[in-house]
Amino acid sequence: MTTGAQAHPVPGPGPEGVRPPAPPALRRAVRVMYGGAALSAAGVFVNLTTLGRIKRRLPLTSPALLASTEHQAIAEFVVGGLVSAAVWIFMAISCRAGMRWARLAGTALFAVDTVYTVDVAASFDRFDASVAVRVYTVVVWLAGLTATLLLWQRGASGFFRPAATAARRRPR
């Protein structure tokens, strides 16, 4: 359905209940989320660069405890990176499908990531993060910021409206 001299789709499902194509802001947000997934997967390797710091921070530790600590750190890096990548992908698919909860959940996850990023960037934790980890963390945060801002643009907001609200807002 179009209005006025300029043709543009009306947000919400069409006459057969089919959702119109995603607006450009939403498509860009989804691409950024897929990029965030790739960054999260690559983050496993960035985090592995910190293993030497663990050894230096625990110099009086027995070799067995040090090896156990390293193995635990490796497992955390791999599992954390893969879970983070899976969450990015799940959120991208859910937002692309127009799920209203996904935009809210993504915003909440971004808020949690903001706290984490401040913690890592300011090195509040007991292990001083390397420069590579700090830069990587800020880059992932910037991807989250970009995706969140794109999801809340006016064009994207119309895509997330429920069918009943979109039908009421259609010009007659």
Side-chain angles (χ1 to χ4, degrees):
M1 179 179 271
T2 59
T3 61
Q6 207 173 23
H8 55 82
V10 176
E16 294 85 34
V18 177
R19 188 174 291 280
L26 181 69
R27 288 194 307 266
R28 284 192 300 271
V30 168
R31 281 194 298 267
V32 169
M33 287 184 229
Y34 285 128
L39 285 170
S40 292
V44 171
F45 301 104
V46 174
N47 285 327
L48 288 174
T49 65
T50 64
L51 289 177
R53 287 179 176 272
I54 292 173
K55 288 180 182 178
R56 286 192 299 275
R57 294 296 242 165
L58 303 171
L60 303 176
T61 305
S62 72
L65 183 58
L66 186 58
S68 174
T69 303
E70 280 184 317
H71 293 146
Q72 178 184 354
I74 291 168
E76 288 176 9
F77 296 154
V78 171
V79 170
L82 294 178
V83 167
S84 294
V87 169
W88 276 103
I89 291 169
F90 177 71
M91 295 306 299
I93 291 168
S94 299
C95 287
R96 179 68 178 93
M99 304 290 188
R100 291 182 70 202
W101 62 265
R103 184 167 64 155
L104 297 171
T107 303
L109 288 170
F110 173 69
V112 170
D113 190 52
T114 298
V115 173
Y116 173 75
T117 300
V118 169
D119 179 47
V120 170
S123 290
F124 290 136
D125 57 357
R126 64 189 175 126
F127 289 111
D128 188 28
S130 69
V131 173
V133 170
R134 287 181 190 175
V135 169
Y136 160 76
T137 302
V138 171
V139 169
V140 171
W141 180 84
L142 287 171
L145 174 66
T146 304
T148 302
L149 291 175
L150 288 168
L151 287 175
W152 287 97
Q153 284 188 357
R154 178 173 281 160
S157 292
F159 188 75
F160 287 102
R161 283 196 192 112
T165 304
R168 282 196 302 265
R169 294 180 188 243
R170 281 196 184 124
R172 296 174 196 187

